[in-house]
Amino acid sequence: MRTDFQNVLVEQDENVVTLTMNRPDVLNAINTLMLEELTEAVEAAAQDETIRCVVLAGAGRAFGAGQDLTEFASAHAGSQPLNVSEHLAKYHRLLLAIRHMPKPVIAAIQGVATGITLNIALACDIRIAADNARLREGFARIGLVPDGGGGYTLPRLVGLGRSMEVALLAEDISGAEAERIGLVNRCVPLSELDETTRALAKRLANGPTRTYQLIKELMYKSVDRDLQASLHLEGQLQEAAYATADHREAGNQIHGQIKASQQTIVRRRC
Ligand code: T3D
């Protein structure tokens, strides 16, 4: 995949690719170019079969400070008012590309993660936060509703009551508190963030990628369905999982182990 982006660093280590939002001087605030580049990189990672896990990170001392407000302000000041739906559609393309990624996506969050950058992290499958993380649904502070899928992901991750508090008060949430309420999966010391993320990414990259894709589909579709529909989907996806080489291989191994243990029992009985 392309690696010569201006605002996104692309580093591949074996089957893991790390996409790093790279405007550290402005805490990785997302401008038009970064959004285009990140979307292109995420879509390319989805297609690239040498990649089996994607990590999203921020350069410097922050994960990201949300939409670039200077770019936003110039759009507001211009003679043409910003077409909000068109503007948001570009973010939606990125969010859907992350959600539909046929392999796991991990967000590694250090320092500030606010506004739409936080909501991009919430679209990822797993979030690891450093203990210096400051997560904030900052939209209400600038008179906006949580966009970038926040209205969807937030209540599903932390529940409706808590998501109201998070969105209405728009206060900083520490990494430890984010772990406690389920906004992130794990909070680790900053010095361990890279290593923890790398180890998890490698573990996932060495796992059954096709099965992970099916698990993602099952989980994400099921949160929007009733039990009956989820059970129906589960049947369809399990059929696909049964057909994978990973399942056959694991099944053969387990079968071999069971046979071996049975033989031991038989021998003991003799
Ligand atoms: O529909 C849409 O697209 C709109 C959607 C918007 C969704 C959103 O993302 S809403 C949230 C937007 N983000 C914010 O409101 C955050 C604004 N930034 C801050 O409140 C503070 O910078 C932080 C609390 C994030 C960090 O504070 P601190 O003291 O650690 O750093 P700083 O000194 O404020 O920031 C460092 C630099 O980054 C600074 O530039 P300078 O002065 O050194 O040249 C600052 O202006 C710049 N920066 C920080 N955030 C943004 C930014 N520049 C552009 N846009 C930003 N969002």
Side-chain angles (χ1 to χ4, degrees):
M1 62 185 285
R2 228 186 110 189
T3 55
D4 60 341
F5 296 114
Q6 207 174 303
N7 289 341
V8 178
L9 293 175
V10 178
E11 291 158 297
Q12 186 166 349
D13 176 12
E14 297 178 348
N15 297 129
V16 176
V17 73
T18 300
L19 307 178
T20 304
M21 296 173 278
N22 189 28
R23 298 182 74 212
D25 293 348
V26 288
L27 309 183
N28 306 317
I30 302 179
N31 62 4
T32 305
L33 183 62
M34 185 195 282
L35 179 57
E36 284 170 4
E37 290 183 341
L38 192 55
T39 306
E40 183 181 331
V42 168
E43 289 178 349
Q47 298 297 323
D48 188 331
E49 290 191 357
T50 68
I51 294 168
R52 294 160 64 101
C53 183
V54 179
V55 174
L56 183 60
R61 68 180 168 97
F63 182 69
Q67 164 70 34
D68 185 318
L69 292 175
T70 56
E71 205 176 67
F72 206 47
S74 357
H76 273 304
S79 51
Q80 285 284 342
L82 179 76
N83 183 324
V84 178
S85 300
E86 264 177 32
H87 170 71
L88 280 181
K90 295 178 191 153
Y91 276 109
H92 295 168
R93 179 170 164 181
L94 169 64
L95 291 155
L96 290 171
I98 292 172
R99 260 299 154 96
H100 295 152
M101 175 77 67
K103 42 205 126 187
V105 187
I106 304 170
I109 304 168
Q110 93 283 11
V112 167
T114 189
I116 200 143
T117 313
L118 173 58
N119 287 343
I120 290 170
L122 299 191
C124 296
D125 304 313
I126 294 183
R127 284 156 292 287
I128 310 289
D131 56 4
N132 76 338
R134 289 155 61 197
L135 295 88
R136 187 200 290 171
E137 283 286 336
F139 297 86
R141 290 194 185 207
I142 56 169
L144 293 175
V145 303
D147 59 24
Y152 177 91
T153 47
L154 197 57
R156 283 169 172 75
L157 286 168
V158 301
L160 187 56
R162 219 179 272 283
S163 67
M164 282 297 183
E165 192 181 331
V166 169
L168 294 175
L169 301 183
E171 283 175 348
D172 282 350
I173 300 168
S174 68
E177 176 67 359
E179 181 189 81
R180 195 183 69 79
I181 67 175
L183 197 56
V184 303
N185 300 76
R186 212 179 298 167
C187 173
V188 297
L190 176 61
S191 58
E192 293 171 20
L193 180 66
D194 286 351
E195 189 42 44
T196 306
T197 306
R198 196 176 305 119
L200 179 63
K202 290 229 154 168
R203 176 177 166 178
L204 290 169
N206 288 325
T209 306
R210 169 73 179 138
T211 309
Y212 288 157
Q213 179 186 5
L214 296 168
I215 290 172
K216 286 180 64 166
E217 187 177 344
L218 179 62
M219 295 299 163
Y220 290 136
K221 284 191 173 161
S222 290
V223 290
D224 295 325
R225 294 183 181 197
D226 59 25
L227 176 61
Q228 183 95 24
S230 174
L231 293 177
H232 180 69
L233 177 68
E234 171 192 290
Q236 290 175 329
L237 296 174
Q238 196 66 300
E239 231 167 86
Y242 265 95
T244 61
D246 280 316
H247 172 66
R248 276 199 303 276
E249 202 179 295
N252 287 341
Q253 272 174 19
I254 290 167
H255 186 65
Q257 281 163 13
I258 291 170
K259 278 192 96 172
S261 66
Q262 279 170 346
Q263 277 165 5
T264 317
I265 292 165
V266 172
R267 264 192 230 110
R268 272 201 208 117
R269 278 200 193 123
C270 292

